[in-house]
Amino acid sequence: MEKRTIPRHIGIIMDGNGRWAEMRGLPRFEGHKMGVQRVKEITEAASGIGVEVLSLYAFSIENWMRPEDEVSVIMGLLEESLRGEFLNFIKEGIRFKVIGNRDKLPENIKSIIETVEQATEKNNRLILQCALSYGGRDEIIRAMRKAINKELIPEDITEDHIGGLLDTAGTPDPDLIIRTSGEQRLSNFLLWQSAYSEFYFTSTLWPDFTKEELLEAIHEYQMRDRRFGKVSNSSGSLAGPLAGSGGSGFGVRSAF
């Protein structure tokens, strides 16, 4: 297979946990439990092929409106997962980071997040960015409040400056955004950052989303002509070496 560029940053809207459980006659929390297992597999897969940043939409700011017992289960699973994966993050060189409105999070969740973030902040193999209590509009509003507090003059407001005030400051914009479960919308995810992202929509529910389908999404991404408003280069020079391949010359499909 011809060598092509691995996306530096992949964002995933992990949708369909509840439906997965209901289709099997199970309580919704069983779908969330299975979804957590899928996160581990996909994170390992992304890291293994050289993805630099993986952003997972775990819990939107609108999700606080869900039934209290379901929210409690999700928060409990998050805490359990972070405690369980803490040493693995360090071993595998994964930097964990949360983006979103932390003011709404329970104190025990804030505490474990801060502990894991601090312990992994020097890791550089993969940034695992968890969008928790997150909303794109809320993120932009908070960024604008930061700008006002800095008393910036209008001439100081540039795209780069605003990007530096967002939760994702310091990471590249997503090259590819994947959404599972058949829905075809962003649902308030990385609104500013996704201006030139490629999208991959699949009917697969998140608990059934495998590393093989991740590779299929990347393969489709590689076939697209990303022009960023410019004229396409007919020579095909958009293709590049496989990141993280060590110069082996293997295509993405041979990574596993």
Side-chain angles (χ1 to χ4, degrees):
M1 178 183 179
E2 184 184 358
K3 295 183 294 183
R4 291 179 182 271
T5 304
I6 293 290
R8 293 181 66 195
H9 182 176
I10 297 177
I12 305 181
I13 302 172
M14 306 180 295
D15 196 11
N17 290 344
R19 275 171 282 173
W20 182 91
E22 290 167 356
M23 287 170 61
R24 290 159 175 78
L26 300 171
R28 289 176 61 86
F29 74 83
E30 292 292 347
H32 295 307
K33 287 173 63 177
M34 186 58 70
V36 169
Q37 293 299 314
R38 193 58 66 200
V39 165
K40 182 175 181 179
E41 179 181 346
I42 297 303
T43 300
E44 291 175 352
S47 178
I49 61 173
V51 174
E52 297 177 22
V53 184
L54 179 65
S55 294
L56 302 178
Y57 202 7
F59 190 85
S60 75
I61 202 163
E62 293 83 10
N63 285 157
W64 290 112
M65 296 183 287
R66 290 190 175 188
E68 187 176 340
D69 58 344
E70 182 174 354
V71 171
S72 179
V73 165
I74 293 172
M75 292 296 134
L77 286 171
L78 173 66
E79 182 176 13
E80 179 182 332
S81 178
L82 286 179
R83 294 189 186 281
E85 290 298 312
F86 175 70
L87 293 179
N88 188 54
F89 287 162
I90 295 175
K91 176 184 175 183
E92 297 298 328
I94 295 172
R95 179 185 175 189
F96 179 78
K97 178 183 176 184
V98 164
I99 59 173
N101 193 331
R102 301 192 187 197
D103 292 343
K104 295 179 177 292
L105 294 172
E107 290 302 320
N108 63 310
I109 299 298
K110 290 181 187 178
S111 177
I112 185 64
I113 286 171
E114 290 171 3
T115 297
V116 178
E117 284 183 330
Q118 290 172 10
T120 63
E121 65 181 352
K122 296 187 184 302
N123 292 350
N124 56 17
R125 184 179 180 189
L126 171 75
I127 297 174
L128 178 59
Q129 206 161 233
C130 181
L132 185 65
S133 186
Y134 175 87
R137 290 181 175 180
D138 177 75
E139 178 187 28
I140 293 170
I141 289 169
R142 287 185 285 108
M144 294 303 96
R145 287 172 177 165
K146 292 176 188 177
I148 292 170
N149 289 336
K150 290 176 178 289
E151 298 182 350
L152 298 176
I153 61 174
E155 289 73 19
D156 290 333
I157 304 298
T158 64
E159 286 191 16
D160 286 342
H161 194 95
I162 292 174
L165 297 174
L166 297 173
D167 296 346
T168 53
T171 60
D173 289 342
D175 301 294
L176 172 65
I177 292 180
I178 298 168
R179 179 162 188 159
T180 61
S181 87
E183 306 292 351
Q184 298 187 27
R185 56 178 179 270
L186 275 175
S187 294
N188 210 8
F189 181 56
L190 299 180
L191 297 181
W192 176 277
Q193 300 88 336
S194 63
Y196 281 99
S197 301
E198 297 293 327
F199 297 92
Y200 177 88
F201 299 109
T202 174
S203 59
T204 303
L205 302 176
W206 174 246
D208 291 328
F209 188 84
T210 63
K211 63 185 180 184
E212 288 76 20
E213 187 159 6
L214 173 67
L215 296 181
E216 180 61 36
I218 293 173
H219 175 69
E220 182 172 315
Y221 162 85
Q222 291 172 333
M223 297 299 105
R224 299 182 186 178
D225 183 6
R226 304 188 75 207
R227 297 185 300 276
F228 301 98
K230 296 176 287 188
V231 175
S232 176
N233 188 334
S234 59
S235 67
S237 62
L238 291 177
L242 258 177
S245 69
S248 66
F250 289 107
V252 63
R253 290 178 181 274
S254 64
F256 293 92

